Amino acid sequence: MDPIAPRSAGTNGLADGELLERIRAGDPSACAECIERYTPVIRRLALRLVGDEVEAEDVVQETFLNAFRAIASFEGRSELSTWLYRIATNTAMMRLRRQRSNFISMDELEAAEEEGPTPPALHDPCCLPEQDLEMAETRAELEQAIHELPESLRVVFVLRELEGLSTEAAAAALDLSPEVVKTRLHRARRRLRERLSPYFPERIPMRKAP
């Protein structure tokens, strides 16, 4: 089962393979079904990345427009939904880069990658108590902390922890190796723990990351 396909895209719809072939053939109903099927997850991802509903809607529209324009070049080596996630992620990041003067540069990204390898045993410092997550202030601080992450870390954290993708699926969506995804996730978790430590002074129980 595709780990990022919406659960509601069920038995009454076309399988992704058939849907893809009909889109390639220029079937407008297939394009419409693709949009209907994947708009909710793409919108949710976009909103988590750009933090603005209007911008998120623009990302959704650009994602499908770019996808349909490039459909002939999609070789089907990954799931259709994974490919759409990749386009949506790239679209969201490009919009942020155009709008912000403090986005992470390639030099900064390369420097971040030189921090060293991920320790062999990773733990998740963001396993927060459920009762705390239910508090509006705590949720706001967590959302702000995620938004403050460098984009290379934020997008990995969003895909893995919030969207629930596996390491392999996130790597495919971002065109990265699983090892890089694990490293960036670890660094994102570490930064979030440091950022949120004033709100959670006691040691938080942690679980091993898969």
Coordinates of all heavy atoms in Angstrom, one line a residue, residues 20 24 73-80 82-83 86 172:
L20 N -2.6 7.0 -14.2 CA -1.4 7.7 -14.8 C -1.5 7.5 -16.4 O -1.3 8.5 -17.1 CB -0.1 7.0 -14.3 CG 1.2 7.5 -15.0 CD1 1.4 9.0 -14.8 CD2 2.3 6.7 -14.4
R24 N -1.8 10.5 -19.2 CA -0.9 10.6 -20.3 C -1.6 10.6 -21.6 O -1.2 11.2 -22.6 CB 0.1 9.4 -20.3 CG 1.2 9.6 -19.2 CD 2.1 8.3 -19.2 NE 3.3 8.5 -18.4 CZ 4.0 7.6 -17.9 NH1 3.7 6.3 -18.1 NH2 5.1 7.9 -17.1
S73 N 7.4 12.9 -18.9 CA 8.7 12.6 -18.4 C 8.7 11.7 -17.2 O 9.8 11.2 -16.8 CB 9.5 13.9 -18.1 OG 8.9 14.6 -17.0
F74 N 7.6 11.5 -16.6 CA 7.5 10.6 -15.4 C 7.6 9.2 -15.8 O 6.7 8.6 -16.5 CB 6.2 10.9 -14.6 CG 6.0 10.0 -13.4 CD1 6.9 9.9 -12.5 CD2 4.8 9.3 -13.3 CE1 6.8 9.1 -11.4 CE2 4.6 8.5 -12.1 CZ 5.6 8.4 -11.2
E75 N 8.6 8.5 -15.4 CA 8.9 7.1 -15.8 C 8.2 6.1 -15.0 O 8.3 4.9 -15.3 CB 10.4 6.9 -15.8 CG 11.2 7.8 -16.8 CD 12.7 7.6 -16.7 OE1 13.1 6.9 -15.9 OE2 13.4 8.2 -17.6
G76 N 7.6 6.5 -13.9 CA 6.9 5.5 -13.0 C 7.8 4.7 -12.1 O 7.4 3.6 -11.7
R77 N 9.0 5.2 -11.9 CA 9.9 4.4 -11.0 C 9.5 4.5 -9.5 O 9.9 3.7 -8.7 CB 11.3 4.9 -11.2 CG 11.9 4.6 -12.5 CD 13.3 5.1 -12.7 NE 13.9 4.9 -14.0 CZ 15.1 5.2 -14.4 NH1 15.9 5.9 -13.6 NH2 15.5 5.0 -15.7
S78 N 8.7 5.5 -9.2 CA 8.1 5.7 -7.9 C 6.6 5.8 -8.0 O 6.1 5.9 -9.1 CB 8.7 7.0 -7.2 OG 8.3 8.1 -8.0
E79 N 5.9 5.8 -6.9 CA 4.5 5.9 -6.9 C 4.1 7.3 -7.4 O 4.8 8.3 -7.3 CB 3.9 5.7 -5.5 CG 4.2 4.3 -4.9 CD 3.3 3.3 -5.5 OE1 2.3 3.7 -6.3 OE2 3.5 2.1 -5.3
L80 N 3.0 7.4 -8.1 CA 2.5 8.7 -8.5 C 2.4 9.7 -7.4 O 2.8 10.8 -7.5 CB 1.1 8.5 -9.2 CG 0.3 9.8 -9.6 CD1 1.1 10.5 -10.6 CD2 -1.1 9.4 -10.1
T82 N 4.1 9.7 -4.6 CA 5.5 10.1 -4.2 C 6.0 11.2 -5.1 O 6.6 12.2 -4.7 CB 6.4 8.9 -4.2 OG1 5.9 7.9 -3.3 CG2 7.8 9.3 -3.8
W83 N 5.7 11.0 -6.4 CA 6.2 12.0 -7.4 C 5.5 13.4 -7.2 O 6.1 14.4 -7.2 CB 5.9 11.5 -8.8 CG 6.3 12.3 -10.0 CD1 7.6 12.7 -10.2 CD2 5.5 12.9 -11.0 NE1 7.7 13.4 -11.4 CE2 6.4 13.6 -11.9 CE3 4.2 12.9 -11.3 CZ2 6.0 14.3 -13.0 CZ3 3.7 13.6 -12.4 CH2 4.6 14.3 -13.2
R86 N 7.0 15.1 -4.3 CA 8.3 15.7 -4.7 C 8.0 17.1 -5.3 O 8.7 18.1 -5.0 CB 9.1 14.8 -5.6 CG 10.4 15.4 -6.0 CD 11.1 14.5 -7.0 NE 11.4 13.2 -6.5 CZ 11.9 12.2 -7.2 NH1 12.3 12.4 -8.4 NH2 12.1 11.0 -6.6
A172 N 12.6 9.1 -1.4 CA 12.1 9.1 -2.8 C 11.5 10.4 -3.1 O 11.7 10.9 -4.2 CB 11.2 7.9 -3.0

